Amino acid sequence: MAEPVEVALGTRSYRVHIGAGVLDEVGARVRETVGTPSRIAIISDTRVAALHLGRVQTALAAAGFAAADVVTIPPGEGEKRLATVERVCEALAAAGADRRSLVLALGGGVVGDLSGLVAALYMRGIAFAQLPTTLLAQVDASVGGKTAVDLGAGKNLVGAFHQPSFVSCDVRVLSTLPPREVRAGLAEVLKAGLIADPELFELLERRGGEAAALTDPALTEALVRRAVAVKAGIVSRDERESGERALLNLGHTYGHAIEAAAGYGPVLHGEAVALGMVAACRVAERIGVTAGLEARVSRALVGLGLAVDLEPWLRPDVLAHTQVDKKRTGKALRFVLPEGLGRVRLHDLTVKDLAEYLRIPAS
Ligand SMILES: NC(=O)c1ccc[n+]([C@@H]2O[C@H](COP(=O)([O-])OP(=O)(O)OC[C@H]3O[C@@H](n4cnc5c(N)ncnc54)[C@H](O)[C@@H]3O)[C@@H](O)[C@H]2O)c1
Ligand SMILES: [Zn+2]
Protein backbone atom coordinates (compact mmCIF):
# COMPACT_ATOMS: atom_id res chain seq x y z
CA MET A 1 0.00 0.00 0.00
CA ALA A 2 1.21 3.49 -0.87
CA GLU A 3 2.65 5.82 1.74
CA PRO A 4 0.13 7.68 3.89
CA VAL A 5 -0.14 11.47 3.72
CA GLU A 6 1.17 13.13 6.87
CA VAL A 7 -0.64 16.00 8.57
CA ALA A 8 2.31 17.55 10.41
CA LEU A 9 1.06 19.24 13.57
CA GLY A 10 3.78 18.48 16.11
CA THR A 11 2.39 16.30 18.90
CA ARG A 12 -1.00 16.28 17.13
CA SER A 13 0.43 14.93 13.87
CA TYR A 14 -1.39 12.08 12.17
CA ARG A 15 -1.52 10.09 8.98
CA VAL A 16 -4.14 9.83 6.27
CA HIS A 17 -4.18 6.34 4.77
CA ILE A 18 -5.54 6.26 1.24
CA GLY A 19 -6.27 3.32 -1.02
CA ALA A 20 -8.47 0.34 -1.81
CA GLY A 21 -8.66 -1.83 1.30
CA VAL A 22 -7.40 0.56 3.99
CA LEU A 23 -10.68 0.04 5.87
CA ASP A 24 -9.72 -3.60 6.37
CA GLU A 25 -6.60 -2.45 8.24
CA VAL A 26 -8.35 -0.17 10.71
CA GLY A 27 -7.61 -2.53 13.61
CA ALA A 28 -3.89 -2.31 12.94
CA ARG A 29 -4.12 1.49 12.65
CA VAL A 30 -5.85 1.67 16.05
CA ARG A 31 -3.09 -0.47 17.60
CA GLU A 32 -0.29 1.67 16.20
CA THR A 33 -1.84 5.05 17.07
CA VAL A 34 -3.99 4.58 20.19
CA GLY A 35 -2.74 1.24 21.47
CA THR A 36 -5.46 -0.48 23.47
CA PRO A 37 -8.44 1.80 24.07
CA SER A 38 -10.72 0.80 26.96
CA ARG A 39 -13.67 0.64 24.54
CA ILE A 40 -14.26 1.44 20.89
CA ALA A 41 -17.47 3.13 19.71
CA ILE A 42 -18.28 3.29 16.02
CA ILE A 43 -20.54 6.24 15.17
CA SER A 44 -22.24 6.03 11.78
CA ASP A 45 -25.46 6.83 9.99
CA THR A 46 -27.95 4.07 9.28
CA ARG A 47 -27.35 4.14 5.50
CA VAL A 48 -23.58 3.84 5.77
CA ALA A 49 -23.77 1.31 8.59
CA ALA A 50 -25.93 -0.99 6.46
CA LEU A 51 -23.30 -0.91 3.73
CA HIS A 52 -19.90 -0.74 5.38
CA LEU A 53 -20.05 -1.33 9.14
CA GLY A 54 -19.36 -5.05 8.79
CA ARG A 55 -15.95 -4.43 7.24
CA VAL A 56 -14.86 -2.23 10.14
CA GLN A 57 -16.09 -4.74 12.71
CA THR A 58 -14.23 -7.55 10.94
CA ALA A 59 -11.05 -5.44 10.80
CA LEU A 60 -11.25 -4.70 14.54
CA ALA A 61 -11.85 -8.35 15.37
CA ALA A 62 -8.88 -9.35 13.19
CA ALA A 63 -6.65 -7.10 15.31
CA GLY A 64 -7.94 -8.74 18.49
CA PHE A 65 -10.34 -6.04 19.72
CA ALA A 66 -13.55 -6.89 21.57
CA ALA A 67 -16.78 -6.06 19.73
CA ALA A 68 -17.21 -2.29 19.38
CA ASP A 69 -20.25 -0.35 20.56
CA VAL A 70 -22.23 0.98 17.60
CA VAL A 71 -24.17 4.25 17.71
CA THR A 72 -26.14 5.17 14.60
CA ILE A 73 -27.97 8.34 13.62
CA PRO A 74 -30.39 8.91 10.75
CA PRO A 75 -28.64 10.13 7.56
CA GLY A 76 -28.65 13.80 6.64
CA GLU A 77 -27.49 17.28 7.63
CA GLY A 78 -30.54 17.58 9.92
CA GLU A 79 -28.72 15.42 12.49
CA LYS A 80 -25.80 17.83 12.75
CA ARG A 81 -27.15 19.58 15.82
CA LEU A 82 -26.55 19.75 19.55
CA ALA A 83 -29.50 17.49 20.37
CA THR A 84 -27.79 14.68 18.46
CA VAL A 85 -24.47 15.38 20.21
CA GLU A 86 -26.26 14.91 23.52
CA ARG A 87 -27.98 11.73 22.38
CA VAL A 88 -24.72 10.20 21.13
CA CYS A 89 -22.86 11.20 24.32
CA GLU A 90 -25.61 9.57 26.40
CA ALA A 91 -25.22 6.41 24.32
CA LEU A 92 -21.45 6.44 24.92
CA ALA A 93 -21.99 6.87 28.65
CA ALA A 94 -24.57 4.09 28.72
CA ALA A 95 -22.08 1.80 26.99
CA GLY A 96 -19.47 2.61 29.61
CA ALA A 97 -17.11 4.74 27.52
CA ASP A 98 -14.42 6.53 29.55
CA ARG A 99 -11.48 8.84 28.92
CA ARG A 100 -9.45 6.07 27.35
CA SER A 101 -12.16 5.09 24.87
CA LEU A 102 -11.93 5.66 21.13
CA VAL A 103 -14.54 6.95 18.72
CA LEU A 104 -14.47 5.81 15.09
CA ALA A 105 -16.48 8.05 12.76
CA LEU A 106 -17.75 5.95 9.84
CA GLY A 107 -19.63 8.05 7.31
CA GLY A 108 -19.76 11.28 5.36
CA GLY A 109 -19.01 14.76 6.59
CA VAL A 110 -22.12 14.86 8.76
CA VAL A 111 -21.03 11.83 10.77
CA GLY A 112 -17.42 13.06 10.78
CA ASP A 113 -18.22 16.57 12.01
CA LEU A 114 -20.67 15.32 14.62
CA SER A 115 -18.47 12.48 15.89
CA GLY A 116 -15.44 14.77 16.05
CA LEU A 117 -17.37 17.19 18.22
CA VAL A 118 -18.65 14.35 20.40
CA ALA A 119 -15.05 13.16 20.83
CA ALA A 120 -13.90 16.72 21.62
CA LEU A 121 -16.53 17.09 24.34
CA TYR A 122 -17.00 13.67 25.87
CA MET A 123 -15.11 13.65 29.18
CA ARG A 124 -13.35 16.82 27.95
CA GLY A 125 -11.92 15.07 24.93
CA ILE A 126 -11.23 11.50 23.87
CA ALA A 127 -9.41 10.04 20.88
CA PHE A 128 -11.16 9.58 17.57
CA ALA A 129 -10.40 8.49 14.04
CA GLN A 130 -12.09 9.34 10.76
CA LEU A 131 -13.25 6.63 8.36
CA PRO A 132 -14.78 8.87 5.68
CA THR A 133 -17.16 7.24 3.21
CA THR A 134 -18.07 10.10 0.85
CA LEU A 135 -15.62 11.64 -1.59
CA LEU A 136 -16.26 15.03 0.00
CA ALA A 137 -15.43 13.68 3.45
CA GLN A 138 -12.31 11.88 2.16
CA VAL A 139 -10.80 14.91 0.44
CA ASP A 140 -11.99 17.61 2.77
CA ALA A 141 -14.10 17.12 5.92
CA SER A 142 -12.07 14.30 7.51
CA VAL A 143 -8.75 16.15 7.40
CA GLY A 144 -7.89 19.20 9.44
CA GLY A 145 -9.64 18.73 12.76
CA LYS A 146 -12.58 21.09 12.32
CA THR A 147 -15.63 19.63 14.02
CA ALA A 148 -19.02 21.29 14.34
CA VAL A 149 -22.78 21.17 14.41
CA ASP A 150 -25.32 23.63 13.02
CA LEU A 151 -27.58 26.13 14.75
CA GLY A 152 -30.83 27.58 13.48
CA ALA A 153 -28.81 30.73 12.85
CA GLY A 154 -26.38 29.00 10.47
CA LYS A 155 -24.20 26.04 9.62
CA ASN A 156 -21.17 24.95 11.68
CA LEU A 157 -21.65 27.68 14.30
CA VAL A 158 -20.84 25.47 17.30
CA GLY A 159 -17.69 23.42 17.14
CA ALA A 160 -14.14 22.76 18.22
CA PHE A 161 -10.76 21.94 16.76
CA HIS A 162 -10.05 18.32 17.57
CA GLN A 163 -7.56 16.43 15.42
CA PRO A 164 -8.12 12.73 14.74
CA SER A 165 -5.58 10.05 15.60
CA PHE A 166 -5.65 8.80 12.02
CA VAL A 167 -7.80 8.94 8.90
CA SER A 168 -8.53 5.99 6.59
CA CYS A 169 -9.86 6.87 3.13
CA ASP A 170 -10.87 3.63 1.43
CA VAL A 171 -11.73 4.43 -2.19
CA ARG A 172 -13.62 1.14 -2.42
CA VAL A 173 -16.50 2.47 -0.29
CA LEU A 174 -17.13 5.16 -2.89
CA SER A 175 -18.63 2.57 -5.26
CA THR A 176 -21.90 2.63 -3.26
CA LEU A 177 -22.10 6.41 -3.30
CA PRO A 178 -24.83 8.00 -5.46
CA PRO A 179 -23.14 9.39 -8.65
CA ARG A 180 -24.37 12.88 -7.83
CA GLU A 181 -22.45 12.77 -4.51
CA VAL A 182 -19.32 11.67 -6.39
CA ARG A 183 -19.59 14.62 -8.79
CA ALA A 184 -20.15 17.03 -5.88
CA GLY A 185 -17.03 15.70 -4.16
CA LEU A 186 -15.02 16.17 -7.34
CA ALA A 187 -15.77 19.89 -7.19
CA GLU A 188 -13.70 20.01 -3.98
CA VAL A 189 -10.93 17.98 -5.66
CA LEU A 190 -10.82 20.46 -8.53
CA LYS A 191 -10.76 23.26 -5.94
CA ALA A 192 -7.66 21.71 -4.35
CA GLY A 193 -6.02 21.61 -7.77
CA LEU A 194 -6.90 25.22 -8.51
CA ILE A 195 -5.54 26.32 -5.12
CA ALA A 196 -2.24 24.50 -5.10
CA ASP A 197 -1.80 21.59 -7.52
CA PRO A 198 -1.94 22.41 -11.26
CA GLU A 199 -1.20 18.77 -12.17
CA LEU A 200 -4.26 17.66 -10.22
CA PHE A 201 -6.34 20.23 -12.07
CA GLU A 202 -4.99 19.03 -15.42
CA LEU A 203 -5.59 15.39 -14.49
CA LEU A 204 -9.26 16.22 -13.93
CA GLU A 205 -9.37 18.18 -17.18
CA ARG A 206 -8.07 15.15 -19.08
CA ARG A 207 -9.94 12.39 -17.26
CA GLY A 208 -13.03 14.05 -15.78
CA GLY A 209 -15.45 11.50 -17.22
CA GLU A 210 -13.54 8.55 -15.78
CA ALA A 211 -13.16 10.35 -12.47
CA ALA A 212 -16.93 10.92 -12.20
CA ALA A 213 -17.70 7.33 -13.21
CA LEU A 214 -15.08 5.91 -10.79
CA THR A 215 -13.97 3.53 -13.53
CA ASP A 216 -10.28 3.50 -12.60
CA PRO A 217 -9.50 2.88 -8.90
CA ALA A 218 -5.90 4.03 -9.44
CA LEU A 219 -7.19 7.35 -10.78
CA THR A 220 -9.63 7.75 -7.87
CA GLU A 221 -6.84 7.01 -5.41
CA ALA A 222 -4.53 9.53 -7.08
CA LEU A 223 -7.23 12.21 -6.96
CA VAL A 224 -7.98 11.63 -3.27
CA ARG A 225 -4.27 11.51 -2.44
CA ARG A 226 -3.41 14.76 -4.20
CA ALA A 227 -6.42 16.62 -2.80
CA VAL A 228 -5.64 15.40 0.73
CA ALA A 229 -2.00 16.41 0.27
CA VAL A 230 -3.07 19.96 -0.60
CA LYS A 231 -5.28 20.21 2.46
CA ALA A 232 -2.76 18.52 4.75
CA GLY A 233 -0.04 20.95 3.66
CA ILE A 234 -2.17 24.00 4.30
CA VAL A 235 -3.53 22.72 7.63
CA SER A 236 0.01 21.85 8.79
CA ARG A 237 1.07 25.44 8.22
CA ASP A 238 -2.10 27.04 9.65
CA GLU A 239 -4.07 24.71 11.90
CA ARG A 240 -6.52 27.30 13.24
CA GLU A 241 -7.13 29.41 10.18
CA SER A 242 -5.25 32.52 11.13
CA GLY A 243 -4.11 32.94 7.54
CA GLU A 244 -3.37 30.49 4.75
CA ARG A 245 -6.10 28.00 5.70
CA ALA A 246 -8.69 30.54 4.54
CA LEU A 247 -7.52 29.83 0.98
CA LEU A 248 -9.42 26.53 1.22
CA ASN A 249 -12.57 28.64 1.09
CA LEU A 250 -12.07 29.25 -2.63
CA GLY A 251 -15.53 29.16 -4.19
CA HIS A 252 -17.18 29.05 -0.78
CA THR A 253 -18.21 32.70 -0.28
CA TYR A 254 -20.70 32.63 -3.11
CA GLY A 255 -21.11 28.85 -2.89
CA HIS A 256 -22.33 29.03 0.72
CA ALA A 257 -24.68 31.83 -0.26
CA ILE A 258 -26.17 29.68 -3.04
CA GLU A 259 -26.56 26.74 -0.67
CA ALA A 260 -28.24 28.91 1.94
CA ALA A 261 -30.51 30.69 -0.55
CA ALA A 262 -31.59 27.34 -1.98
CA GLY A 263 -32.43 26.20 1.54
CA TYR A 264 -29.76 23.50 2.11
CA GLY A 265 -30.47 20.24 0.34
CA PRO A 266 -31.66 21.01 -3.20
CA VAL A 267 -28.11 22.07 -4.14
CA LEU A 268 -25.39 19.84 -2.71
CA HIS A 269 -22.44 21.55 -1.05
CA GLY A 270 -20.01 20.53 -3.80
CA GLU A 271 -22.44 21.65 -6.49
CA ALA A 272 -22.65 25.05 -4.82
CA VAL A 273 -18.87 25.22 -4.54
CA ALA A 274 -18.60 24.51 -8.28
CA LEU A 275 -20.80 27.54 -8.98
CA GLY A 276 -18.90 29.53 -6.36
CA MET A 277 -15.61 28.79 -8.16
CA VAL A 278 -17.09 30.07 -11.41
CA ALA A 279 -18.13 33.22 -9.52
CA ALA A 280 -14.64 33.58 -8.00
CA CYS A 281 -13.02 33.28 -11.43
CA ARG A 282 -15.41 35.87 -12.84
CA VAL A 283 -14.58 38.31 -10.04
CA ALA A 284 -10.85 37.69 -10.55
CA GLU A 285 -11.15 38.40 -14.27
CA ARG A 286 -13.15 41.57 -13.70
CA ILE A 287 -10.60 42.79 -11.16
CA GLY A 288 -8.04 41.99 -13.81
CA VAL A 289 -5.76 39.57 -11.93
CA THR A 290 -6.29 36.73 -14.40
CA ALA A 291 -7.75 36.04 -17.84
CA GLY A 292 -9.46 33.05 -19.40
CA LEU A 293 -9.72 31.19 -16.12
CA GLU A 294 -13.52 31.19 -15.85
CA ALA A 295 -13.85 29.44 -19.21
CA ARG A 296 -11.19 26.87 -18.30
CA VAL A 297 -12.59 26.12 -14.83
CA SER A 298 -16.12 25.92 -16.24
CA ARG A 299 -14.99 23.45 -18.91
CA ALA A 300 -13.32 21.27 -16.31
CA LEU A 301 -16.43 21.33 -14.11
CA VAL A 302 -18.68 20.43 -17.05
CA GLY A 303 -16.31 17.53 -17.75
CA LEU A 304 -17.06 16.31 -14.22
CA GLY A 305 -20.79 16.54 -14.88
CA LEU A 306 -21.33 19.64 -12.75
CA ALA A 307 -23.58 22.61 -13.54
CA VAL A 308 -21.78 25.91 -14.16
CA ASP A 309 -24.58 28.26 -15.13
CA LEU A 310 -24.28 31.09 -12.62
CA GLU A 311 -26.96 33.34 -14.11
CA PRO A 312 -29.95 31.95 -12.13
CA TRP A 313 -28.00 32.64 -8.94
CA LEU A 314 -26.98 36.22 -9.62
CA ARG A 315 -29.75 37.60 -7.42
CA PRO A 316 -29.87 40.09 -4.53
CA ASP A 317 -31.33 37.47 -2.19
CA VAL A 318 -28.36 35.16 -2.85
CA LEU A 319 -25.90 38.02 -2.43
CA ALA A 320 -27.50 38.88 0.92
CA HIS A 321 -26.47 35.46 2.20
CA THR A 322 -22.77 36.30 1.75
CA GLN A 323 -23.20 38.80 4.59
CA VAL A 324 -24.10 36.18 7.14
CA ASP A 325 -21.08 34.07 6.19
CA LYS A 326 -19.36 33.62 9.54
CA LYS A 327 -15.96 33.90 7.89
CA ARG A 328 -16.38 37.57 7.10
CA THR A 329 -14.27 39.99 9.09
CA GLY A 330 -15.77 43.36 9.79
CA LYS A 331 -17.47 44.68 6.74
CA ALA A 332 -15.24 43.09 4.13
CA LEU A 333 -15.56 39.56 2.84
CA ARG A 334 -12.30 37.63 2.78
CA PHE A 335 -12.70 36.57 -0.80
CA VAL A 336 -10.35 33.98 -2.29
CA LEU A 337 -9.22 35.16 -5.70
CA PRO A 338 -7.83 32.63 -8.19
CA GLU A 339 -4.98 34.15 -10.17
CA GLY A 340 -4.01 31.09 -12.18
CA LEU A 341 -3.68 27.33 -11.80
CA GLY A 342 -2.24 26.72 -8.34
CA ARG A 343 -2.18 30.43 -7.49
CA VAL A 344 -4.75 32.03 -5.19
CA ARG A 345 -4.76 34.88 -2.73
CA LEU A 346 -7.05 36.53 -0.22
CA HIS A 347 -8.66 39.79 -1.19
CA ASP A 348 -10.93 41.97 0.93
CA LEU A 349 -14.17 42.79 -0.86
CA THR A 350 -17.27 44.52 0.36
CA VAL A 351 -20.62 43.01 -0.53
CA LYS A 352 -21.13 46.08 -2.70
CA ASP A 353 -17.90 45.33 -4.63
CA LEU A 354 -19.04 41.75 -5.10
CA ALA A 355 -22.41 42.92 -6.45
CA GLU A 356 -20.60 45.15 -8.93
CA TYR A 357 -18.15 42.55 -10.14
CA LEU A 358 -20.89 39.94 -10.53
CA ARG A 359 -23.32 42.53 -12.01
CA ILE A 360 -26.01 41.73 -9.49
CA PRO A 361 -28.81 44.32 -9.64
CA ALA A 362 -29.92 46.03 -6.42
CA SER A 363 -33.04 44.43 -5.03
N1 LIG B 1 -14.94 19.59 8.96
C1 LIG B 1 -14.64 20.07 7.78
O1 LIG B 1 -13.53 20.57 7.55
C2 LIG B 1 -15.67 20.00 6.69
C3 LIG B 1 -15.29 20.28 5.39
C4 LIG B 1 -16.24 20.15 4.38
C5 LIG B 1 -17.54 19.78 4.70
N2 LIG B 1 -17.88 19.52 5.99
C6 LIG B 1 -19.24 19.10 6.35
O2 LIG B 1 -19.52 17.87 5.71
C7 LIG B 1 -20.93 17.72 5.60
C8 LIG B 1 -21.27 17.15 4.25
O3 LIG B 1 -20.64 15.91 4.11
P1 LIG B 1 -21.10 14.84 3.02
O4 LIG B 1 -21.23 15.52 1.72
O5 LIG B 1 -20.19 13.70 3.15
O6 LIG B 1 -22.60 14.53 3.45
P2 LIG B 1 -23.27 13.35 4.33
O7 LIG B 1 -22.42 12.97 5.45
O8 LIG B 1 -24.64 13.84 4.62
O9 LIG B 1 -23.36 12.16 3.28
C9 LIG B 1 -24.17 12.29 2.14
C10 LIG B 1 -25.12 11.12 2.00
O10 LIG B 1 -24.40 9.99 1.52
C11 LIG B 1 -24.66 8.85 2.33
N3 LIG B 1 -23.42 8.04 2.26
C12 LIG B 1 -22.25 8.30 2.86
N4 LIG B 1 -21.33 7.42 2.47
C13 LIG B 1 -21.93 6.58 1.61
C14 LIG B 1 -21.49 5.46 0.85
N5 LIG B 1 -20.19 5.07 0.86
N6 LIG B 1 -22.39 4.82 0.09
C15 LIG B 1 -23.68 5.25 0.03
N7 LIG B 1 -24.15 6.30 0.70
C16 LIG B 1 -23.27 6.95 1.48
C17 LIG B 1 -25.01 9.39 3.67
O11 LIG B 1 -25.83 8.48 4.38
C18 LIG B 1 -25.78 10.66 3.29
O12 LIG B 1 -27.11 10.35 3.02
C19 LIG B 1 -21.52 19.10 5.83
O13 LIG B 1 -22.18 19.11 7.07
C20 LIG B 1 -20.31 20.02 5.88
O14 LIG B 1 -20.49 21.11 6.74
C21 LIG B 1 -16.96 19.62 6.99
ZN1 LIG C 1 -16.46 22.76 0.92
Side-chain angles (χ1 to χ4, degrees):
M1 204 130 326
E3 281 292 295
V5 175
E6 171 94 5
V7 184
L9 289 169
T11 54
R12 292 182 307 289
S13 296
Y14 54 97
R15 292 169 154 182
V16 184
H17 304 269
I18 300 158
V22 295
L23 208 54
D24 304 311
E25 295 167 2
V26 160
R29 298 289 87 82
V30 172
R31 284 272 183 239
E32 81 194 8
T33 54
V34 188
T36 305
S38 57
R39 302 191 74 88
I40 299 176
I42 303 170
I43 301 175
S44 191
D45 74 35
T46 48
R47 188 172 297 159
V48 174
L51 293 163
H52 303 294
L53 175 63
R55 273 181 74 194
V56 178
Q57 290 171 316
T58 303
L60 292 174
F65 290 108
D69 304 308
V70 177
V71 184
T72 56
I73 61 169
E77 181 77 23
E79 288 300 315
K80 239 181 81 169
R81 58 196 157 96
L82 282 167
T84 312
V85 171
E86 181 172 10
R87 196 166 62 70
V88 172
C89 286
E90 291 284 6
L92 293 183
D98 63 19
R99 280 182 303 167
R100 291 179 40 256
S101 296
L102 168 72
V103 162
L104 296 178
L106 175 68
V110 167
V111 165
D113 279 12
L114 176 88
S115 308
L117 185 58
V118 164
L121 295 174
Y122 190 75
M123 298 202 168
R124 301 192 185 84
I126 62 174
F128 87 115
Q130 294 273 17
L131 314 178
T133 61
T134 63
L135 184 57
L136 179 112
Q138 294 195 350
V139 300
D140 194 351
S142 65
V143 176
K146 279 191 184 177
T147 78
V149 291
D150 306 332
L151 291 182
K155 269 180 56 113
N156 298 322
L157 289 182
V158 176
F161 282 96
H162 190 48
Q163 299 293 346
S165 298
F166 68 90
V167 182
S168 289
C169 301
D170 194 325
V171 295
R172 222 179 262 163
V173 301
L174 302 178
S175 63
T176 59
L177 203 59
R180 188 177 166 200
E181 297 278 352
V182 175
R183 294 194 293 269
L186 285 171
E188 298 277 8
V189 179
L190 192 78
K191 180 199 80 174
L194 187 51
I195 291 173
D197 184 349
E199 279 179 38
L200 172 57
F201 188 96
E202 286 160 3
L203 186 58
L204 281 173
E205 278 184 319
R206 279 198 314 276
R207 303 184 64 190
E210 288 166 88
L214 298 174
T215 41
D216 179 358
L219 173 64
T220 309
E221 182 176 330
L223 296 173
V224 173
R225 180 174 298 283
R226 297 190 83 119
V228 166
V230 168
K231 182 152 187 190
I234 290 175
V235 166
S236 296
R237 294 186 291 271
D238 178 20
E239 183 180 12
R240 296 211 164 214
E241 197 167 325
S242 51
E244 187 184 354
R245 187 163 176 171
L247 296 176
L248 292 168
N249 292 329
L250 172 64
H252 282 61
T253 302
Y254 213 69
H256 279 149
I258 290 172
E259 249 187 310
Y264 294 107
V267 183
L268 297 180
H269 175 72
E271 294 170 341
V273 169
L275 291 162
M277 281 192 282
V278 175
C281 291
R282 190 169 298 180
V283 170
E285 290 187 17
R286 289 191 173 151
I287 288 178
V289 294
T290 189
L293 200 56
E294 180 186 339
R296 187 165 179 189
V297 167
S298 295
R299 253 196 320 275
L301 290 167
V302 168
L304 300 172
L306 287 155
V308 294
D309 183 8
L310 202 53
E311 305 320 311
W313 301 102
L314 297 177
R315 305 190 316 244
D317 65 303
V318 180
L319 183 74
H321 280 281
T322 62
Q323 280 167 301
V324 292
D325 190 317
K326 71 175 173 8
K327 277 154 191 144
R328 95 204 147 97
T329 49
K331 275 184 129 178
L333 299 162
R334 286 164 86 200
F335 198 84
V336 187
L337 273 189
E339 298 184 315
L341 289 194
R343 275 191 302 125
V344 286
R345 70 176 166 84
L346 287 172
H347 185 85
D348 282 344
L349 278 186
T350 64
V351 175
K352 196 163 155 286
D353 296 333
L354 190 58
E356 268 176 40
Y357 290 128
L358 291 176
R359 316 265 196 271
I360 298 175
S363 49

